[in-house]
Amino acid sequence: MSENELKSEYLKEIIGRTEKINASEPEFIQAFKEVLISLEPVILANEKEFKTQAFLERLSEPERIITFRVPWLDDSGQVQVNRGYRVQFNGAIGPYKGGLRFHPTVNQSIMKFLAFEQIFKNALTGLPIGGGKGGSDFDPKGKSDMEIMKFCQSFMTELQKHIGQDVDIPAGDIGVGSREIGYLFGQYRKIKNSYEAGVLTGKGIEYGGSLARTEATGYGLLYFMREMLKTNDIQIEGKTVIISGAGNVAIYACEKAQMMGAKVVAMSDSSGCIYDKDGIKLNVIKEIKEVKRERIKEYLLSVPTAEYFENTNNMPSVYKIKADIVLPCATQNDISLETAKLIVKNGSVAIGEGANMPCTNEAIEYFQANNVLLAPGKAANAGGVATSALEMSQNSMRYFWSFEEVENKLENIMVNIFKQCRRACDEYNLGKNYVAGANIAAFKKVSAAMLAQGII
Ligand code: NDP
Ligand code: 2IT
């Protein structure tokens, strides 16, 4: 459904209000509208109460946004300054939970859209976690290990005032992996003089991390995809797949896709993509990205039969390659309407959002209008945060589960998330609109918790 088809006066008013008071935050407005428009049937059923309670006004306003200065010393002795953020958007169903992103594009709009989506994603996991997100406009590319450590220490020196294992639990996102979590955790522990293991997730296995957390987002995406395809009588085995990105989510999405018998033929980074018609050799990608931190182009040195295509201005080159299944696992707004048209023309049957908001709202509508199945990020990439919550459980118990135990729990959670989406689709006659299904199922939980807790 599009905005001008809305019947609810309250929804129209709220969308207008949100656009007006957040005019400098396009990504947040985009994420907000995608959710709110799809909630119309639920809002209409109870419009008067929601309006009297100013419910959507409260939902649209973060409980708290913290921004702070992050000064650090580079290797040449020059002081550098970045801006740090933590958005604590909604704590109705548990302590704030969500990743930290270190990327030069980070700003308040991006932090707010990510924290807003996290509220609904976390509700779908069924685990007691609220929605938050943070990060910095710091660019980790080209920085030495020492510079990364100094930045992380300075970032945590301020962030530690605002987090805690029952308050707010950050984790990784773009540019933040196990190395950064290690440095952040070390500084938190030093300042607090207390071993509060559950304050961060994505920790190393040696000091309180969970087995399978590294794999969780990518593996979870494929479990969700398998369930969605099965419901629509499609087998994943034998299908060709393209994946945007070559980071944490992309690598483990590739691994699980291959384990399920699919053939991944392309992966990318922000410079371009590699196409390997014989199937990606994932050990080569892992060595380039996880160990050497180099560009994906290096793949050709190990696999000379593969091809490399530089990105062009109008679209990431990876989407020009034909595949049955497309897994955007890089960043937001990777798939524009124009890219969506090419994907449809190329005959793809399903899109799985490993990244947060990789499709523009126009691209989503185009896929739906053309019967391409779309697994929405809030549901399909929830395996990462769900396993973070399992890491918190293990930390609280001062115990750990085996890889198989964690992976089994992850699989059950993803199957259950798909069921929730499907159930909401059935209940509201939404057909295969799993985007709306996910939003509605999550909203029902969050709204029940918020309403029960009064006007706060
Ligand atoms: P990483 O930093 O590990 O990898 C990001 C990948 O995306 C890199 O290959 C990067 O290439 C590529 N990329 C391409 N274009 C861009 C761009 N414009 N901005 C940033 N990255 C770009 O991050 P993750 O794999 O952890 O995250 C990928 C996506 O998945 C994000 O949208 C994140 O929010 C989402 N996500 C992550 C979860 C997690 O557990 N890590 C959980 C759920 C969602 P290059 O190296 O050239 O920059
Ligand atoms: O977008 C996400 O869900 C994440 N980056 C993971 C958050 C987490 O707390 O594990």
Side-chain angles (χ1 to χ4, degrees):
M1 190 196 310
S2 73
E3 194 178 350
N4 39 27
E5 292 168 71
L6 285 174
K7 290 192 247 350
S8 162
E9 287 306 318
Y10 181 41
L11 260 184
K12 284 192 233 172
E13 181 193 322
I14 287 304
I15 288 173
R17 174 186 183 275
T18 305
E19 283 178 318
K20 192 166 159 220
I21 66 175
N22 301 288
S24 60
E25 297 177 351
E27 290 85 0
F28 172 61
I29 292 170
Q30 178 186 338
F32 186 77
K33 282 167 78 167
E34 186 244 278
V35 172
L36 272 274
I37 292 170
S38 71
L39 295 179
E40 164 139 272
V42 188
I43 303 294
L44 274 177
N46 224 346
E47 192 164 12
K48 192 154 175 279
E49 189 191 359
F50 281 125
K51 193 169 157 70
T52 315
Q53 297 248 348
F55 186 82
L56 298 178
E57 288 89 330
R58 287 193 283 133
L59 186 73
S60 70
E61 205 57 56
E63 292 183 10
R64 196 170 298 101
I65 300 180
I66 300 141
T67 69
F68 50 94
R69 177 205 298 160
V70 190
W72 56 281
L73 200 61
D74 73 16
D75 287 347
S76 74
Q78 174 65 47
V79 175
Q80 303 285 344
V81 180
N82 288 94
R83 184 173 290 175
Y85 296 90
R86 189 71 186 165
V87 178
Q88 298 177 333
F89 216 123
N90 193 309
I93 61 176
Y96 312 108
K97 179 87 195 87
L100 296 171
R101 176 177 292 191
F102 292 170
H103 195 270
T105 54
V106 161
N107 58 33
Q108 184 164 301
S109 173
I110 290 177
M111 292 286 97
K112 276 179 68 181
F113 112 68
L114 288 163
F116 183 72
E117 296 222 315
Q118 200 83 42
I119 305 167
F120 302 94
K121 184 196 301 191
N122 292 4
L124 287 172
T125 67
L127 299 164
I129 39 179
K133 200 84 186 194
S136 174
D137 58 2
F138 173 72
D139 186 359
K141 279 207 188 78
K143 302 290 189 298
S144 69
D145 262 4
M146 197 53 78
E147 288 174 325
I148 298 282
M149 185 178 78
K150 285 184 189 153
F151 176 81
C152 288
Q153 290 179 339
S154 179
F155 185 84
M156 184 52 89
T157 301
E158 183 62 32
L159 187 68
Q160 55 89 18
K161 297 172 188 164
H162 311 286
I163 61 174
Q165 62 188 5
D166 297 317
V167 180
D168 183 355
I169 304 95
D173 194 80
I174 291 175
V176 178
S178 62
R179 173 181 61 168
E180 291 73 20
I181 295 293
Y183 295 147
L184 292 163
F185 184 73
Q187 185 73 351
Y188 184 87
R189 187 172 74 74
K190 180 180 160 107
I191 295 173
K192 298 280 185 178
N193 191 28
S194 144
Y195 209 103
E196 207 185 310
V199 70
L200 285 168
T201 59
K203 298 181 293 295
I205 302 307
E206 307 77 13
Y207 61 95
S210 174
L211 289 162
R213 173 62 187 91
T214 305
E215 293 83 357
T217 311
Y219 278 22
L221 173 65
L222 268 293
Y223 286 131
F224 188 96
M225 179 58 77
R226 182 195 65 194
E227 293 304 298
M228 181 177 82
L229 293 179
K230 206 162 62 183
T231 298
N232 290 281
D233 298 319
I234 303 171
Q235 285 253 326
I236 209 161
E237 207 184 337
K239 295 288 180 295
T240 52
V241 178
I242 56 171
I243 301 179
S244 81
N248 173 264
V249 180
I251 286 175
Y252 293 95
C254 178
E255 186 162 287
K256 192 49 102 179
Q258 291 178 339
M259 286 159 87
M260 288 179 174
K263 185 174 180 188
V264 181
V265 293
M267 289 180 83
S268 67
D269 62 19
S270 58
S271 310
C273 81
I274 46 137
Y275 171 58
D276 187 340
K277 62 176 182 353
D278 303 320
I280 295 281
K281 280 74 177 169
L282 193 57
N283 57 335
V284 177
I285 298 282
K286 283 185 179 178
E287 179 71 14
I288 296 170
K289 290 296 178 185
E290 294 185 333
V291 182
K292 297 186 180 154
R293 299 179 191 273
E294 284 176 349
R295 309 311 298 158
I296 202 162
K297 198 179 175 179
E298 302 295 310
Y299 187 86
L300 266 53
L301 297 177
S302 302
V303 189
T305 50
E307 292 175 78
Y308 175 74
F309 302 102
E310 199 79 36
N311 287 338
T312 54
N313 282 337
N314 63 342
M315 96 176 49
S317 56
V318 69
Y319 298 115
K320 294 180 184 162
I321 292 165
K322 266 191 185 190
D324 302 313
I325 297 171
V326 178
L327 302 178
C329 296
T331 193
Q332 66 275 358
N333 292 333
D334 219 19
I335 300 184
S336 63
L337 178 59
E338 192 191 348
T339 306
K341 284 182 179 168
L342 181 63
I343 291 171
V344 170
K345 199 168 141 222
N346 281 343
S348 303
V349 294
I351 316 290
E353 295 188 333
N356 288 308
M357 204 168 78
C359 300
T360 64
N361 290 346
E362 295 73 29
I364 294 175
E365 281 180 29
Y366 191 80
F367 285 134
Q368 289 172 339
N370 287 278
N371 298 317
V372 174
L373 297 168
L374 181 63
K378 285 184 216 81
N381 73 35
V385 74
T387 308
S388 276
L390 298 177
E391 182 173 334
M392 291 159 65
S393 305
Q394 293 169 81
N395 295 150
S396 299
M397 291 190 291
R398 297 174 195 275
Y399 190 62
F400 70 95
W401 293 318
S402 68
F403 192 97
E404 291 68 29
E405 282 173 289
V406 180
E407 204 194 345
N408 280 339
K409 290 182 202 303
L410 167 67
E411 182 173 1
N412 287 336
I413 290 169
M414 296 314 297
V415 169
N416 184 46
I417 292 177
F418 179 71
K419 276 191 193 144
Q420 292 178 61
C421 297
R422 196 179 159 183
R423 228 178 280 135
C425 284
D426 292 345
E427 193 180 338
Y428 291 91
N429 285 323
L430 299 167
K432 292 170 183 178
N433 185 350
Y434 302 118
V435 176
N439 290 340
I440 290 176
F443 176 79
K444 285 188 154 186
K445 283 194 185 163
V446 176
S447 59
M450 282 177 72
L451 290 169
Q453 291 174 31
I455 311 296
I456 54 164

